[in-house]
Amino acid sequence: MNKILVVEDDINTRKLICVVLNHNGFVTFSAEDGLAALDLMEKQHIDLVVLDLMMPNMDGYELTRQLRLSWEALPILMISAKQSLEDKRQGFLVGTDDYMTKPLDEEEMILRIKALLRRAKIASDRKLEVGKVILDYDSLTVSREDTVVMLPQKEFLLLFKLLSNPKMIFTRLQLMNEIWGIETETTNHTLNVHINRLRDKFRDWTEFEIVTVRGLGYKAVKNT
């Protein structure tokens, strides 16, 4: 189970978030401010942090900066009553991965957390092997014996995602939310273009294929 740290100075909000996360299968830890959070992080492995922006002793901006010094790839979801574009911009500049405004929509929070964890898994796995085909996250390449194909980032992430979960059907919305972000204005047309480019580039590669599931989305099928 993924372990999530909730950093929130308001005890009622902190407890509510933990309850919602627990009900969705996550293990939760909590801290009332940034100092307590950093202390806990030194003792316990954490897969993702949900942190409030406005807290005593150390606000969410500074906590995010501190977390990035030691846990560069740790997914961070910042929450705040502040809704201005500048506040969100500052959050992303200091290193948060996503930003939600209060009052929180519980279902949306869970969707965002799951998306962040999936992206983190792709980043941590780094390489994926499908028969003789190797997908290398660091170089964004797909290779087979002496053939190496370098892909644009979005195309690589799409292929990596599909091949990491063979036979699983992903809706177009799932893929757009995960690869482009939940607030993206990307359209079905953009996704279809990326899928078609992947099909063209790997048309003669027999190890896998990308299949359209009519009315639902896409899936990858391994032939090895």
Side-chain angles (χ1 to χ4, degrees):
M1 290 185 181
N2 291 116
K3 298 178 180 179
I4 298 181
L5 171 60
V6 179
V7 191
E8 165 67 65
D9 61 311
D10 182 83
I11 186 171
N12 292 325
T13 303
R14 187 167 71 244
K15 287 182 177 180
L16 175 61
I17 293 175
C18 287
V19 168
V20 172
L21 292 172
N22 292 153
H23 284 173
N24 282 272
F26 298 107
V27 176
T28 57
F29 298 83
S30 62
E32 68 275 10
D33 61 30
L35 296 177
L38 290 174
D39 183 61
L40 188 148
M41 289 287 298
E42 294 291 347
K43 304 172 184 176
Q44 175 66 51
H45 170 75
I46 296 295
D47 296 297
L48 181 144
V49 175
V50 178
L51 58 87
D52 187 30
L53 176 55
M54 301 303 294
M55 296 184 293
N57 301 320
M58 180 185 294
D59 67 15
Y61 293 143
E62 182 57 30
L63 175 56
T64 300
R65 291 190 191 95
Q66 293 299 319
L67 289 172
R68 282 288 170 252
L69 292 176
S70 300
W71 296 277
E72 183 178 354
L74 177 71
I76 299 174
L77 170 60
M78 183 176 288
I79 59 176
S80 175
K82 293 189 172 184
Q83 301 184 18
S84 74
L85 179 60
E86 180 55 34
D87 292 319
K88 294 180 181 180
R89 177 177 176 275
Q90 182 62 24
F92 285 113
L93 285 175
V94 298
T96 190
D97 296 288
D98 204 352
Y99 189 108
M100 285 189 71
T101 56
K102 297 179 180 179
L104 296 175
D105 180 292
E106 296 174 6
E107 182 178 2
E108 181 184 356
M109 180 181 70
I110 295 300
L111 289 173
R112 287 175 181 263
I113 286 173
K114 288 181 177 180
L116 289 173
L117 288 170
R118 286 193 295 267
R119 289 178 212 159
K121 184 179 185 302
I122 290 177
S124 64
D125 285 349
R126 314 310 284 187
K127 286 189 179 182
L128 177 66
E129 295 186 13
V130 181
K132 295 182 179 180
V133 177
I134 299 175
L135 284 76
D136 190 321
Y137 185 92
D138 293 317
S139 61
L140 300 180
T141 57
V142 183
S143 59
R144 182 182 62 177
E145 298 177 338
D146 296 330
T147 303
V148 179
V149 179
M150 179 174 289
L151 296 177
Q153 184 184 46
K154 293 295 190 293
E155 288 182 24
F156 180 88
L157 291 175
L158 269 174
L159 186 61
F160 198 108
K161 177 64 179 177
L162 291 168
L163 287 175
S164 295
N165 303 273
K167 298 183 180 180
M168 181 179 292
I169 300 171
F170 292 95
T171 67
R172 290 175 173 81
L173 182 60
Q174 283 177 312
L175 292 172
M176 288 187 291
N177 284 349
E178 183 160 339
I179 306 302
W180 280 270
I182 200 165
E183 294 182 346
T184 182
E185 295 182 359
T186 298
T187 64
N188 283 341
H189 174 70
T190 300
L191 175 62
N192 294 341
V193 168
H194 281 70
I195 291 291
N196 288 333
R197 286 175 180 168
L198 287 171
R199 285 172 169 160
D200 288 340
K201 290 174 181 177
F202 301 103
R203 188 176 303 279
D204 298 326
W205 294 44
T206 59
E207 289 83 359
F208 64 87
E209 61 180 314
I210 300 174
V211 177
T212 300
V213 182
R214 189 174 298 277
L216 293 176
Y218 299 100
K219 68 177 181 179
V221 176
K222 294 182 179 180
N223 298 321
T224 57

